[in-house]
Amino acid sequence: MKAGARGEGRGASRPVVVKIGGRAQSDPALARALAAAWTAAPGSLVVVHGGGDEVSALQRALGATPTFVGGRRVTSAEDIELLRMALSGSANKRLVSALVSRGASAIGLSGEDAALLTAAPLDPERLGHVGDPRQVNVALLRHLLDGGYLPVISPLSRSERASEGAGADSVVLNVNGDDAAAVLAAALEADELLFVADVVGVLVEGCVVPELTPVDTGQLIATGAASGGMVAKLEAALAA
């Protein structure tokens, strides 16, 4: 899925933002393609990743049941450490290692690092510690891109409440990777925002829809024709 084409030239000033779903990361062709794109134009790419299956596996191993609302994971304070381990730890470093092995100067980050992403609680009553990304440390990303590095970002984010001296369990919010990619693309004025997942595309009555207007997208969400994780992707595309 591609959203928000803006501008005609590519380079460090107007990069491409790619969001990679958790299951899609297991395809070895993906790291090769990303590394090749970076090699062709260093400083032109930012990667955001998910890793929901790993988080769900950890939750189940500890006796919890993963729950989702509108494609977003209901997150307790206890889940935050699991998310740090699975997303900012395992998934992030595995993807970075695959990219470095293929010649890309990839560097792993989370939204917590240098307050790269700052978020506000999205819907605490229904979702718990889930955030709506609000601010991006663009200077950090520009510094890395201009230096020829490929940022690989886990979407866990610093809460706006951290500056208010909130308790430790309120400092970090789980931000959906699609939402994080959208706000990063907007802040960087990216040429393109790409969502890479293990599905063929947006389906309506079993057929892939090759293009959607904002009105079409809103109708798919409102009528329930789009559901689950696809809702989050469509909403993120509209936000971008």
Side-chain angles (χ1 to χ4, degrees):
M1 182 188 301
K2 178 167 67 177
R6 300 171 63 181
E8 298 178 357
R10 270 186 199 172
S13 61
R14 299 184 74 83
V16 172
V17 176
V18 181
K19 160 51 177 39
I20 307 171
R23 286 186 288 273
Q25 294 169 45
S26 63
D27 188 340
L30 182 62
R32 288 196 297 270
L34 290 172
W38 177 89
T39 300
S44 66
L45 196 63
V46 174
V47 172
V48 182
H49 67 81
D53 283 355
E54 290 188 53
V55 177
S56 294
L58 275 174
Q59 287 181 305
R60 293 189 181 100
L62 295 174
T65 300
T67 305
F68 296 84
V69 175
R72 293 171 174 82
R73 183 184 302 271
V74 177
T75 304
S76 69
E78 293 75 18
D79 290 332
I80 293 296
E81 285 305 313
L82 302 184
L83 287 156
R84 278 173 161 162
M85 287 188 286
L87 294 183
S88 303
S90 179
N92 186 272
K93 299 314 172 190
R94 187 169 56 245
L95 183 54
V96 166
S97 179
L99 289 165
V100 171
S101 295
R102 288 162 176 81
S105 295
I107 181 167
L109 302 162
S110 82
E112 295 185 69
D113 295 319
L116 175 59
L117 289 169
T118 304
L122 181 60
D123 187 344
E125 291 188 3
R126 293 199 307 160
L127 296 172
H129 293 252
V130 172
D132 176 28
R134 299 291 179 85
Q135 293 184 334
V136 176
N137 185 343
V138 176
L140 172 60
L141 287 177
R142 293 289 185 204
H143 179 71
L144 294 171
L145 291 169
D146 290 345
Y149 292 98
L150 169 51
V152 179
I153 300 169
S154 159
L156 276 177
S157 300
R158 187 169 176 81
S159 171
E160 289 180 337
R161 291 193 61 197
S163 61
E164 303 170 3
D169 62 349
S170 300
V171 170
V172 183
L173 293 171
N174 176 23
V175 169
N176 182 280
D178 301 321
D179 296 337
V183 75
L184 284 162
L188 290 168
E189 296 186 326
D191 267 350
E192 294 177 314
L193 168 61
L194 306 176
F195 295 95
V196 180
D198 64 335
V199 295
V200 294
V202 180
L203 299 176
V204 175
E205 297 182 354
C207 297
V208 175
V209 181
E211 184 173 309
L212 287 168
T213 67
V215 172
D216 295 335
T217 303
Q219 290 177 342
L220 287 179
I221 296 171
T223 62
S227 60
M230 189 55 70
V231 173
K233 286 177 171 54
L234 292 174
E235 289 178 342
L238 285 174

